[in-house]
Amino acid sequence: MQLSKETQIKMYEDMLKIRAFEEQVDEFISRGAITGTTHLCIGQEAVAVGACYAIRHDDYIASTHRGHGHCIAKGAQIDKMMAELFGKETGYCKGRGGSLHIVDMSTNNLGANGIVGGGIPIAVGAALSVKMQKQDKVVVCFFGDGAMNQGAFHEAANLASVWKLPVVFLCENNQYGMSTPLNEAFNIKDLSIRAEGYGMEGITIDGNDLLEVYQTVKDFAEKARSGEGPNLIVAETYRWKGHSKSDPRKYRTREEEQEWMKKDPIAAFEKKLIKEGILSEQKAEEIKEKVEKIIEDAVKYAQESPYPSVENITDYVYVEEEA
Amino acid sequence: MRQLTGRQAVAEALMEEMMRDEKVFLLGEDIGIYGGAFGVTAGFIEKFGPERVRNTPISEAAIVGAAVGASMTGMRPVCEIMFMDFVTIASDQLVNQAAKLRFMFGGQAKAPMVLRTPAGAAAAGGQHTQSLEAWFTHIPGLKVVMPSTPYDLKGLLKASIRDDNPVLFVEHKLGYGEKGEVPEEDYVIPLGVADIKREGKDVTIIATSHMVFKALEAAKYLEQKEGIDAEVVDPRTLVPLDIDTIVNSVCKTGRAVIVHEACERGGVGGEIAARIIDSRAFDYLDAPIKRVGGLNIPVPYCPVLEKAYIPSVEKIVKAVKEVVY
Ligand SMILES: Cc1ncc(C[n+]2csc(CCOP(=O)(O)OP(=O)(O)O)c2C)c(N)n1
Ligand SMILES: [Mg+2]
């Protein structure tokens, strides 16, 4: 493992940032301070952070409706994200997109997506572009287990493989697509065997183990980068919260949730860092306080920012000629 | 009479049709224990079981395609597509297959299926809020139904399920919470019959789906504040379109304003306006026909912008005042 202590601490901090961001958003959503809906990734932080740290800054990611974690891990600013969720002009999408479309193109994030599976062919297109422009970037394409049953996944996976494009298909298998459990949506247990049908390598890993995610994505990304073509990683994880706003979670038991919460990716990594002497309990506290402050500042920024002006409502529909 | 919400009215129609005809079954995402994203099918899987309430993987093309195939071979499927925006993913099956197969096969087959789907803006941004009905009215072979009130939702859904053609049944997210009178006894509203929601003599407001409620509000305001007596016509079904009721109304009032939430450009308003002009109502028109539609932009997430996108009571009032002079 070539990860420095500093990097590991940064990864820990980013996971905390994601969780704190999501908890804050959850609170705002449940009391109506943020309109609309959002999909929280609490419990899945290790996939976002492990994957984004395993690739270069100029590599691309394609995200999903559950995309706050990907966005943060790829390097987005918390304040501009929070402002977006508030629908403010200072948000990443100038309030036009909201949580479902959150994106920071400056970090080569190709965007969250409101359409399940919608981002997968786009990721393949980005990889095609990389190849045609003779760049050496890869694309990490996040999607859920549910998305794997969209035609878009199958068509895109096949195309990427036939054209040997540098894509890592990264399935976050959180055991449910909304209310539908795996066994109602798949007649296979290990989703990674689907890779074989498209002539690519596939693997299933523990998505709550940060370093396992990191190492696998790193290896797979380098294979894709070196011209071997795409591959598929299925990261097993769990979403702690409801699918979206106001989900009573009738389709699963509280006991099952408790079991998965014991496998908290952040707590596990924290324990490991402390055990290895990389992190002290005091330092962990300091980081948590720092993260809290970042969230507080972001909330303040978002709340104090203006809404977009209705006068400019038709901006960005088309590319306008520069004056 | 008892009051039901739009949600209850749709559920009751489904329930009654499933009890009446065992060939009727449901398929769609999260329609099982979750009860559908908008709660329409809550309790259905418990009552009818997973054979007739088929919770599907996230596969819109397969859902609608399976409905086409099942309907060609003796079943009467009602599929739910969670948001109208996602019908785009299933559009081959709906547009190229279901709509045309009867014609292309020279009358040998039919596809008696219903695709239910909610449209309309509700704080969710560009991919969860569109009103795409105009696209589908352009496709010969499809019927397009777009009711407003609980009474109409129930009666028209029952007619749609009994119809032997593929029907796109468009609900409105905000319509699920609207309350209205629905009788206990069985009734069916035939497709292709418009409803005059309010009688008036000065101007005809033709409004679809949730815009009917806004048009009625505008009419009330116009009467109280401007002394203008507006008639509100709800076409209820866009294909077939009851143009006679619209034409008769415009002949009476001499003025027409058409309101829909979908983007104004290419919306059904243009078609309805053209049909009015191309009728005997042409000679009765005392003013240009006005359209009030959504802005020609994707639906914005920001609540302030979203509000500005959707036709408002004020915009309807303004359009009416522009033609009543
Ligand atoms: C095409 C499409 N169909 C349905 C939905 C509604 N929907 C949003 S998220 C979701 C579940 C997605 O499951 P999965 O891919 O496993 O991702 P997860 O939510 O578990 O992260 C569904 C059904 C959608 N947004 N787009
Ligand atoms: Mg999932």
Side-chain angles (χ1 to χ4, degrees), chain A residues 65-66 114-116 144-147 150 174 176-178 243, chain B residues 29-30 58 60 82 86 89 128:
Chain A
H65 58 284
R66 204 173 298 289
I115 302 297
V116 170
D145 46 286
Q150 282 286 22
N174 61 7
Y176 294 88
M178 201 158 155
H243 168 72
Chain B
E29 292 160 19
D30 304 286
I58 306 169
E60 285 79 11
M82 198 182 285
F86 312 159
I89 298 164
H128 283 72

Coordinates of all heavy atoms in Angstrom, one line a residue, chain A residues 65-66 114-116 144-147 150 174 176-178 243, chain B residues 29-30 58 60 82 86 89 128, ligand 1:
Chain A
H65 N -27.9 9.6 -8.9 CA -28.9 10.3 -8.1 C -28.4 10.3 -6.6 O -28.8 11.2 -5.9 CB -30.3 9.7 -8.2 CG -30.3 8.2 -7.7 ND1 -29.8 7.2 -8.5 CD2 -30.6 7.6 -6.6 CE1 -29.9 6.1 -7.9 NE2 -30.4 6.3 -6.7
R66 N -27.6 9.4 -6.2 CA -27.1 9.3 -4.9 C -25.7 9.8 -4.9 O -24.7 9.1 -4.6 CB -27.2 7.9 -4.3 CG -27.2 7.8 -2.8 CD -27.4 6.3 -2.3 NE -28.7 5.8 -2.8 CZ -29.9 6.2 -2.3 NH1 -30.0 7.1 -1.3 NH2 -31.0 5.7 -2.8
G114 N -30.6 12.1 -12.8 CA -31.9 11.8 -12.3 C -32.5 10.5 -12.9 O -33.5 10.0 -12.5
I115 N -31.8 10.0 -13.9 CA -32.3 8.9 -14.6 C -31.4 7.7 -14.2 O -30.2 7.7 -14.4 CB -32.2 9.1 -16.2 CG1 -33.0 10.3 -16.6 CG2 -32.7 7.8 -16.9 CD1 -34.5 10.2 -16.3
V116 N -32.0 6.7 -13.6 CA -31.3 5.5 -13.2 C -30.7 4.8 -14.4 O -31.4 4.5 -15.4 CB -32.2 4.5 -12.4 CG1 -31.4 3.2 -12.2 CG2 -32.6 5.1 -11.1
G144 N -25.9 2.2 -9.4 CA -26.4 1.3 -8.3 C -26.7 -0.1 -8.9 O -26.7 -0.3 -10.1
D145 N -27.0 -1.0 -7.9 CA -27.4 -2.4 -8.3 C -28.7 -2.3 -9.2 O -28.8 -3.0 -10.2 CB -27.7 -3.2 -7.1 CG -28.6 -2.5 -6.1 OD1 -28.0 -1.6 -5.4 OD2 -29.8 -2.8 -6.0
G146 N -29.6 -1.4 -8.9 CA -30.8 -1.2 -9.6 C -30.6 -0.9 -11.1 O -31.2 -1.4 -12.0
A147 N -29.6 0.0 -11.3 CA -29.3 0.5 -12.6 C -28.8 -0.6 -13.5 O -28.8 -0.5 -14.8 CB -28.2 1.6 -12.5
Q150 N -31.1 -1.8 -16.3 CA -31.5 -0.9 -17.4 C -30.8 -1.4 -18.7 O -29.6 -1.8 -18.6 CB -31.1 0.5 -17.1 CG -31.9 1.2 -16.1 CD -33.3 1.6 -16.7 OE1 -33.7 1.1 -17.7 NE2 -33.9 2.6 -16.1
N174 N -26.0 -1.6 -2.9 CA -26.5 -1.4 -1.5 C -27.7 -2.2 -1.2 O -28.5 -1.9 -0.3 CB -26.7 0.1 -1.3 CG -27.8 0.7 -2.3 OD1 -28.4 -0.1 -3.0 ND2 -28.0 2.0 -2.3
Y176 N -30.6 -2.8 -2.4 CA -31.9 -2.4 -2.8 C -31.9 -1.4 -3.9 O -31.0 -0.5 -4.0 CB -32.7 -1.8 -1.6 CG -33.0 -2.7 -0.5 CD1 -32.0 -2.9 0.5 CD2 -34.1 -3.5 -0.5 CE1 -32.2 -3.8 1.5 CE2 -34.4 -4.4 0.6 CZ -33.4 -4.5 1.6 OH -33.6 -5.4 2.6
G177 N -32.8 -1.5 -4.8 CA -33.2 -0.4 -5.7 C -34.5 0.1 -5.2 O -35.5 -0.6 -5.3
M178 N -34.4 1.2 -4.6 CA -35.6 1.8 -3.9 C -36.1 0.8 -2.9 O -35.5 0.5 -2.0 CB -36.6 2.3 -4.9 CG -37.6 3.3 -4.3 SD -38.3 4.3 -5.6 CE -39.8 4.8 -4.8
H243 N -34.7 5.4 1.0 CA -34.3 5.7 -0.4 C -34.3 7.2 -0.6 O -33.3 7.7 -1.2 CB -35.3 5.0 -1.3 CG -35.1 5.4 -2.7 ND1 -34.1 5.1 -3.5 CD2 -35.9 6.3 -3.5 CE1 -34.1 5.6 -4.7 NE2 -35.2 6.4 -4.7
Chain B
E29 N -42.3 -0.3 -11.2 CA -41.3 -0.3 -10.2 C -41.9 0.2 -8.9 O -42.6 1.2 -8.8 CB -40.2 0.7 -10.7 CG -39.5 0.2 -11.9 CD -38.7 1.3 -12.7 OE1 -38.5 2.4 -12.1 OE2 -38.4 1.1 -13.9
D30 N -41.5 -0.6 -7.9 CA -41.9 -0.2 -6.5 C -43.4 -0.1 -6.3 O -43.8 0.6 -5.4 CB -41.1 1.0 -6.0 CG -39.6 0.9 -6.2 OD1 -39.0 0.2 -5.4 OD2 -39.1 1.4 -7.2
I58 N -35.7 -2.2 -12.3 CA -35.7 -0.8 -13.0 C -35.4 -1.0 -14.4 O -34.3 -1.0 -14.9 CB -34.7 0.1 -12.3 CG1 -35.0 0.1 -10.7 CG2 -34.8 1.5 -12.8 CD1 -33.9 0.7 -9.9
E60 N -37.6 0.2 -17.7 CA -38.8 0.7 -18.3 C -39.1 0.1 -19.6 O -40.3 -0.1 -19.9 CB -38.7 2.3 -18.4 CG -38.8 3.0 -17.1 CD -37.6 3.0 -16.2 OE1 -36.5 2.6 -16.7 OE2 -37.7 3.4 -15.0
M82 N -42.9 5.4 -13.2 CA -42.8 6.2 -12.0 C -42.9 7.7 -12.2 O -43.6 8.4 -11.5 CB -41.6 5.9 -11.2 CG -41.6 6.3 -9.8 SD -40.0 5.9 -9.0 CE -40.1 4.1 -8.8
F86 N -39.6 9.2 -17.5 CA -39.0 7.9 -17.8 C -39.7 7.2 -18.9 O -39.2 6.1 -19.4 CB -38.9 7.0 -16.6 CG -38.4 7.7 -15.3 CD1 -38.8 7.2 -14.1 CD2 -37.7 8.9 -15.4 CE1 -38.3 7.8 -12.9 CE2 -37.2 9.5 -14.2 CZ -37.5 9.0 -13.0
I89 N -37.6 6.3 -21.9 CA -36.8 5.1 -22.0 C -37.6 3.9 -22.6 O -37.1 3.0 -23.2 CB -36.3 4.7 -20.6 CG1 -35.4 5.8 -20.0 CG2 -35.6 3.3 -20.5 CD1 -35.1 5.7 -18.5
H128 N -37.6 15.1 -13.7 CA -38.6 14.4 -12.9 C -39.9 15.3 -12.9 O -40.7 15.2 -12.0 CB -38.2 14.3 -11.4 CG -37.3 13.1 -11.2 ND1 -36.0 13.1 -11.6 CD2 -37.5 11.9 -10.6 CE1 -35.4 12.0 -11.2 NE2 -36.3 11.2 -10.6
Ligands
LIG1 C1 -35.1 5.5 -15.3 C2 -35.5 5.7 -13.9 N1 -36.4 4.8 -13.4 C3 -36.7 4.9 -12.1 C4 -36.3 6.0 -11.4 C5 -36.7 6.1 -9.9 N2 -35.6 5.7 -9.0 C6 -34.7 6.6 -8.6 S1 -33.5 5.9 -7.8 C7 -34.2 4.4 -7.9 C8 -33.5 3.2 -7.3 C9 -32.2 3.0 -7.9 O1 -31.6 1.9 -7.4 P1 -30.0 1.7 -7.5 O2 -29.6 1.9 -8.9 O3 -29.7 0.4 -6.8 O4 -29.4 2.9 -6.7 P2 -29.6 3.3 -5.2 O5 -30.8 4.2 -5.1 O6 -29.8 2.0 -4.4 O7 -28.4 4.0 -4.8 C10 -35.4 4.4 -8.6 C11 -36.2 3.3 -9.0 C12 -35.4 6.9 -12.0 N3 -34.9 7.9 -11.3 N4 -35.0 6.7 -13.3

